[in-house]
Amino acid sequence: MNHCITLLHQLSEHGKLARTEYLHLLAHRKAIAETAMELAREVRRKYYGTDVYIRGLIEVSNICKNDCTYCGIRKSNQNVNRYRLNAEQILSCCRAGYRLGFRTFVMQGGEDGSFTDEFLCPLLRQIKTEFPDCAITLSLGERSSESYRLLREAGADRYLLRHEACNEALYRKLHPETMLHENRMRCLRDLRELGYQVGAGFMVGAPFQTVEDLADELCFLQDFRPQMVGIGPFLPHHDTPFCDYESGSADLTVFLLALIRLMLPNVLLPSTTALNSVVPDGRIRGLQAGANVVMPNLSPEDTRQLYQLYDNKKSSGLESAEEMQKLKESFAAYGYHIVTARGDFRDCPPKKP
Ligand code: SAH
């Protein structure tokens, strides 16, 4: 136990630990979870005060050429009612979001062949022209280096591409043969080289994932040092081969959030929808473990239930200023404050005490 506390302090001071040390922390998780979260809250306070960044999530398409075993919108799921937003619909989501105070728009979707560079680049430019004070985050999966370059030049600032598993054997169990671990890693490297703020991450409690795998994920993150880290519990979807697997644990997820905050003190760390879907107070528990970003849904209401990555996904949408006010109040009750700044990674040296 004392050794664990020393390790937590070491992690916070040096930003890294050995794999065996992560394994040790994971083995004693229950005994040290509270301390880890307190330390993570302290670090978060030092860098971000009580600020919570909001990102408006626009789920642009549920059409996907991939067949990820865990994902509800995988290609071979015949029971999905497929949709794709057009440029005008995406723009109106941004306009509605802007009025509510959002200054980052996240365009996420399946790997939809219609989202060519020819379609996306003019759209990105248009969003940037209309909202020059906003950041654009893309989360559209694997693309060519050239495409990432064009999208960056057209105005994309950030890119979320969870690596999903740094262990190749596990990666293969979660993905079809056509998807190569090597390519995922190539994408992450390209994105970083092109000057995107890059988000990596993984699901907690994915089928076949072991505690050793989790230690490896932490080692990967400490080496790669992404600007954003997205983690959330795995949740089963009834129309996938993983339908009978159990959900990942909320407790383990928040513990990992705390370790990630200690490791990467100024990382942008969302309290994810998946965490909020697995337990009702997930969003606030994430913030209390060191997360500092939430991503309310800005997708049109009629497509929202069609972007079902897993069963019982909460869409936690904000349709009105009134609901934004409610969200603010619910955070304020725990001492957190929504800020509408773009919230770039580089904006965030430690705050003065
Ligand atoms: N096509 C994009 C966006 C994928 S959806 C891409 O490949 O990056 C965003 C994330 O949702 C995925 O990276 C995955 O980690 C998560 N996700 C998908 N299915 C899930 C499930 N069943 N349970 C929990 N998270 C899931």
Side-chain angles (χ1 to χ4, degrees), residues 166-183:
C166 60
N167 172 328
E168 194 176 347
L170 176 59
Y171 188 88
R172 265 192 255 125
K173 288 189 184 148
L174 304 178
H175 299 97
E177 269 178 20
T178 47
M179 284 180 77
L180 299 180
H181 181 259
E182 194 182 273
N183 194 48

Side-chain angles (χ1 to χ4, degrees), residues 70-71 108-109 141 161-162 164 184 203 233-235 309-310:
Y70 45 84
C71 185
Q108 185 179 84
L161 185 77
R162 292 187 179 180
E164 312 292 359
R184 198 102 183 149
M203 293 178 292
F234 159 78
L235 289 135
L309 306 179
Y310 42 81

Side-chain angles (χ1 to χ4, degrees), residues 64 66 68 70-73 108-111 139-142 159-164 179 184 201-203 230 232-237 240 274 307 309-311:
C64 194
N66 281 336
C68 305
Y70 45 84
C71 185
I73 62 166
Q108 185 179 84
E111 292 198 16
S139 181
L140 299 170
E142 298 174 19
Y159 206 104
L160 301 175
L161 185 77
R162 292 187 179 180
H163 63 284
E164 312 292 359
M179 284 180 77
R184 198 102 183 149
F202 55 90
M203 293 178 292
F234 159 78
L235 289 135
H237 184 289
T240 63
Y307 196 79
L309 306 179
Y310 42 81
D311 293 336

Side-chain angles (χ1 to χ4, degrees), residues 224-240:
F224 187 70
R225 307 194 85 73
Q227 285 93 5
M228 305 174 278
V229 176
I231 66 163
F234 159 78
L235 289 135
H237 184 289
H238 63 280
D239 279 326
T240 63

Side-chain angles (χ1 to χ4, degrees), residues 57-128:
L57 182 64
I58 307 170
E59 294 160 338
V60 291
S61 169
N62 70 357
I63 298 169
C64 194
K65 67 165 198 248
N66 281 336
D67 218 18
C68 305
T69 325
Y70 45 84
C71 185
I73 62 166
R74 66 202 301 264
K75 177 183 170 185
S76 59
N77 184 1
Q78 306 285 320
N79 299 326
V80 182
N81 198 346
R82 305 280 173 175
Y83 76 91
R84 162 189 311 133
L85 303 185
N86 61 31
E88 199 43 49
Q89 287 171 305
I90 295 172
L91 273 163
S92 34
C93 293
C94 296
R95 288 180 192 128
Y98 193 89
R99 280 194 295 274
L100 292 171
F102 288 91
R103 295 296 176 267
T104 294
F105 304 119
V106 183
M107 290 166 55
Q108 185 179 84
E111 292 198 16
D112 180 339
S114 291
F115 287 136
T116 57
D117 302 332
E118 291 70 29
F119 169 80
L120 288 168
C121 290
L123 175 60
L124 294 175
R125 283 193 210 97
Q126 199 170 343
I127 297 174
K128 281 290 184 168

